[in-house]
Amino acid sequence: MALWDRLKDSVQTMQAQLTAKKNELQSGAFRDASMAMCALVAAADGTIDPSERQRVAQLIATNDVLQGFPADDLHRRFEDHLDELTADFPLGKVGAMREIGKARRKAAEARAVIQIGIVIGCADGHFDDSERAVVREACSALGIPPAEFDLHRALRVPRQYRATDAGSGTERETRPEAVVPGDDLQVFLKALASGTRQKLFSHFAAGEELTVGEVAERAGLGPSTASEHLAVLRRGGLLHSTRSGKLVRYRADHEGIAELLDQLRCYLLAPAEPRDDARPPHGGPGRAD
């Protein structure tokens, strides 16, 4: 099973484990560490677009384990961390990691904080490298080996497997029964489904690195609208983002795009496995000659 598939399967198990021990997760240290973890996941790439902020806030409000704490208090702590990350990301990250480290005293709480980070990160179907990186750092702050949660290896887009034709010995690409595009590919396709995002991405075709403000000016959009579209393109695997001081610069993720296009090609062109109920070529009822 691919790492991404295994991780998706494990998220449900993690949430069930969290729910089962929620009566043990009532301390202030767990509350503070969880909100710091959620804020870091929301701002993992150095940007905090409104849609991601709202999405994570909603996940916090509806998470069964966190409902043992006053919702207003959780929201305030989450927003406070995001404000600090917005003002100065490196400094805000240090403060968030310090809060996370307070949960180290109790192993059950420490593991639960990491599980919450993974559950929140996977909720949109795209646990990207920057989100995985901050959860790995949180593991270090809590003294937990990242390998315990499969965070030590790169998360790659699932590829089609290859089969060998009997007799010829040659390999061919084939698709598993009832296959559908993987989550990463679906997010990629949705990111490109918008004409506005297609035009925005064209500004990166020549390899330029652009800030939100520069993209907004070129595209004639408001900064917040441009930021939301860029965040969708990033989650879809089309863009990378890096922080330089207080500015976030985007550039095309050529390696990721090539990998996703390879998956799309395999999905569209790989021959389907023959079905037992397949009809003869002319459509008439089958009969033995």
Side-chain angles (χ1 to χ4, degrees):
M1 181 183 293
L3 176 57
W4 171 239
D5 291 331
R6 187 165 67 251
L7 182 57
K8 286 193 298 183
D9 290 344
S10 70
V11 167
Q12 290 185 333
T13 302
M14 288 183 192
Q15 185 58 55
Q17 291 172 343
L18 287 167
T19 301
K21 59 186 179 185
K22 66 179 181 179
N23 291 332
E24 305 172 33
L25 304 173
Q26 298 294 323
S27 75
F30 171 71
R31 174 202 61 203
D32 296 348
S34 295
M35 290 306 94
M37 184 78 265
C38 290
L40 281 173
V41 170
D45 69 340
T47 64
I48 308 170
D49 63 276
S51 60
E52 182 73 358
R53 194 174 193 134
Q54 183 177 3
R55 184 185 74 84
V56 176
Q58 182 64 23
L59 290 170
I60 292 170
T62 56
N63 189 286
D64 187 45
V65 178
L66 297 173
Q67 289 181 0
F69 300 99
D72 290 346
D73 186 34
L74 292 180
H75 186 71
R76 177 182 61 80
R77 293 173 187 277
F78 171 66
E79 291 289 338
D80 285 349
H81 278 296
L82 287 184
D83 288 344
E84 291 176 3
L85 289 163
T86 301
D88 188 324
F89 185 80
L91 186 60
K93 185 177 179 182
V94 169
M97 286 297 176
R98 187 183 301 119
E99 289 295 317
I100 289 171
K102 292 179 181 178
R104 184 169 184 158
R105 299 170 188 170
K106 294 184 179 180
E109 291 185 350
R111 285 178 51 83
V113 169
I114 298 302
Q115 288 175 320
I116 282 177
I118 295 173
V119 168
I120 295 294
C122 289
D124 64 352
H126 189 67
F127 193 30
D128 65 30
D129 289 340
S130 59
E131 292 168 344
R132 288 169 61 80
V134 295
V135 178
R136 274 198 302 271
E137 289 185 57
C139 284
S140 298
L142 292 167
I144 297 174
E148 187 174 336
F149 294 98
D150 263 336
L151 294 168
H152 60 305
R153 290 180 288 176
L155 187 62
R156 296 294 182 187
V157 177
R159 294 181 179 274
Q160 298 294 333
Y161 63 84
R162 304 183 72 85
T164 303
D165 285 323
S168 68
T170 59
E171 284 190 340
R172 61 180 174 86
E173 290 176 356
T174 183
R175 63 175 94 193
E177 185 178 356
V179 73
V180 294
D183 288 340
D184 288 309
L185 183 56
Q186 293 193 38
V187 176
F188 172 76
L189 294 173
K190 287 179 182 178
L192 281 176
S194 161
T196 298
R197 288 194 288 273
Q198 292 169 17
K199 292 176 182 177
L200 284 182
F201 182 74
S202 68
H203 294 293
F204 298 93
E208 287 189 85
E209 287 195 358
L210 301 171
T211 65
V212 173
E214 290 169 339
V215 172
E217 183 178 356
R218 291 188 182 190
L221 298 173
S224 62
T225 301
S227 177
E228 290 186 24
H229 282 301
L230 290 171
V232 174
L233 289 169
R234 177 186 58 78
R235 289 196 292 270
L238 288 102
L239 296 177
H240 267 312
S241 62
T242 55
R243 176 171 285 274
S244 176
K246 293 187 177 182
L247 291 178
V248 176
R249 297 188 177 278
Y250 290 86
R251 70 180 187 279
D253 182 358
H254 295 298
E255 183 179 348
I257 292 169
E259 196 165 334
L260 286 159
L261 289 176
D262 184 53
Q263 185 188 358
L264 180 61
R265 182 187 64 81
C266 290
Y267 169 72
L268 293 174
L269 300 181
E273 293 297 312
R275 294 175 53 184
D276 294 337
D277 61 348
R279 293 181 178 274
H282 298 293
R287 69 171 186 266
D289 292 329

